[in-house]
Amino acid sequence: MRKAAGIVAAVLLLSGTGCGQPAGTFGGDGCMPPSFSLSADAARPGESFTISADDATCNPRYGDTAQIQLEVMDGSGVKIVDTLAPMNDAGGFSTAVTLPESAVPGTGSVAAFPYNLDWCDDTGRNNRVGHGAAEIHRASCVLPSQTLTIEP
């Protein structure tokens, strides 16, 4: 009985670390990027919308030169925007993106994640802090994205 209780406790402890935690909380000594939002859930080709995030409630320590990578997929699934924008040390950012005239109408998506950083680590530890740039790698996790309807 004790062994079974110990196994259940270990599974619960492990399931609470890493990507399963809410944005801006610690997983071990890691810190997840804050969730981002869109100023509009729909846009037409040629129109702009804003992608932004508040500062994380933990201390991700992205640095003074941190950037956020922004990707927009159109209704056909083609990447139509792939750009970098400034991000502060705590993960906050706000930037306007204009949909290209070539954007195909339909259900698209927007992804935003810290550029050139291991923004998610399923082990629950921050493997970015304390390592050299050559050792930084993105651990497995689902890419954070939001739906964007591209209107005709």
Side-chain angles (χ1 to χ4, degrees):
M1 183 70 166
R2 267 191 201 154
K3 185 174 182 181
I7 291 171
V8 170
V11 169
L12 291 174
L13 177 65
L14 290 174
S15 67
T17 62
C19 293
Q21 288 197 325
T25 61
F26 284 98
D29 64 347
C31 179
M32 299 301 291
S35 297
F36 70 93
S37 62
L38 307 178
S39 63
D41 58 1
R44 290 182 167 79
E47 289 183 343
S48 294
F49 62 96
T50 300
I51 306 168
S52 61
D54 293 331
D55 291 351
T57 56
C58 53
N59 184 12
R61 300 185 291 185
Y62 291 121
D64 294 336
T65 59
Q67 294 179 299
I68 189 82
Q69 184 163 358
L70 305 168
E71 297 177 351
V72 179
M73 308 288 262
D74 69 9
S76 70
V78 171
K79 188 186 305 182
I80 55 173
V81 175
D82 188 356
T83 190
L84 299 173
M87 176 176 69
N88 69 27
D89 185 54
F93 69 91
S94 181
T95 191
V97 172
T98 302
L99 286 179
E101 293 292 339
S102 62
V104 174
T107 302
S109 65
V110 177
F113 49 94
Y115 173 69
N116 202 27
L117 297 175
D118 178 17
W119 54 269
C120 185
D121 185 341
D122 287 345
T123 67
R125 66 181 171 80
N126 187 337
N127 68 12
R128 172 175 54 81
V129 176
H131 295 285
E135 297 175 52
I136 294 174
H137 63 282
R138 181 172 143 190
S140 64
C141 272
V142 175
L143 185 67
S145 66
Q146 303 259 345
T147 300
L148 175 70
T149 301
I150 301 173
E151 299 175 335

